Amino acid sequence: SSYDFAASASIVDVLVADEKGYYDELCLDVEIINSFSTNNYPLIAANEAQFSSGGSFSEVVDFAGSNDAGFVALAVEGRTGIDGLITKDGEVPTLADIEGTTIGVHDLITPSVKAMLAKQGLVEGEDYETVGLGANAFDPLVNIEAPGIVGFPGFKSNEPKQLEAADVPFKLYDPSDFGIPGSFGVVYTNLAFLQEHPTAAQDFMRATMR
């Protein structure tokens, strides 16, 4: 799985298909292991695992290059960017104010946020820095108070809702507002597995999409 066992696109459908017995009906022995999307690319590339989901199609493409892997996207479940840049209240009045600052990231800065900043002429490592958020990477209430950073990428349907529920002020920069296309919930496999077991891959996707 790409985000533990969260009820999100390309995870919840696999969990439901397994619970409903759809894989068993097609004689597939499926083992589901919780993980995180960026940790899974080397495993899929090495065929140590056969299916996962990427945070976006761009993420899959980026990691295909860095892992010299033949990834094959089997489904793109969301056709808009799922992520945004969450900044501390009053610290980043405009995106231009990101220059010279540091952004906290879960693992790597998300492609949509990176593209949004690049469109403003801001390049990672030159105009701004990124730093890992560590053990509290997925706790926006902790991250919004973290020293040394002005903000962090997050899922638009998750972290902002938690901050709003806690009455914590923040500013969200949505890449879609800046003309950045996006996607999410990309189920993919590796070419070696697909070529060796084409009907198993088809049946896995048939059960998942059901």
Side-chain angles (χ1 to χ4, degrees):
S1 68
S2 61
Y3 194 67
D4 287 332
F5 290 139
S8 57
S10 72
I11 300 174
V12 69
D13 36 3
V14 173
L15 298 177
V16 171
D18 186 57
E19 180 69 21
K20 293 285 189 179
Y22 297 160
Y23 299 128
D24 292 337
E25 290 175 10
L26 295 173
C27 301
L28 298 178
D29 182 11
V30 176
E31 180 182 6
I32 304 172
I33 301 172
N34 66 307
S35 187
F36 186 61
S37 66
T38 54
N39 296 333
N40 294 338
Y41 290 106
L43 300 177
I44 304 297
N47 202 25
E48 294 178 18
Q50 286 66 53
F51 300 93
S52 186
S53 59
S56 68
F57 186 77
S58 297
E59 184 183 274
V60 175
V61 171
D62 286 346
F63 277 86
S66 62
N67 287 278
D68 191 24
F71 295 142
V72 179
L74 303 173
V76 180
E77 299 188 4
R79 301 289 176 151
T80 186
I82 197 173
D83 53 325
L85 178 61
I86 300 163
T87 62
K88 297 178 180 181
D89 187 44
E91 290 204 15
V92 187
T94 70
L95 277 182
D97 296 302
I98 289 291
E99 185 171 6
T101 67
T102 299
I103 297 172
V105 296
H106 297 158
D107 186 19
L108 299 171
I109 191 167
T110 57
S112 294
V113 170
K114 186 174 183 178
M116 175 179 65
L117 295 174
K119 191 173 182 179
Q120 305 300 308
L122 300 171
V123 178
E124 182 183 6
E126 297 179 11
D127 302 295
Y128 65 93
E129 302 295 332
T130 57
V131 63
L133 292 169
N136 296 311
F138 299 106
D139 189 339
L141 298 176
V142 173
N143 295 338
I144 203 73
E145 300 292 340
I149 64 171
V150 295
F152 52 94
F155 297 112
K156 290 182 287 188
S157 61
N158 185 20
E159 285 92 335
K161 303 298 184 184
Q162 293 188 52
L163 293 171
E164 289 171 358
D167 292 324
V168 176
F170 65 94
K171 185 176 180 64
L172 173 67
Y173 288 98
D174 185 341
S176 64
D177 292 337
F178 293 83
I180 305 299
S183 58
F184 62 88
V186 182
V187 182
Y188 69 98
T189 186
N190 65 75
L191 186 60
F193 179 81
L194 183 62
Q195 290 178 336
E196 187 173 356
H197 304 286
T199 57
Q202 292 167 12
D203 286 346
F204 177 84
M205 289 307 301
R206 186 174 293 115
T208 298
M209 296 177 77
R210 180 184 177 189

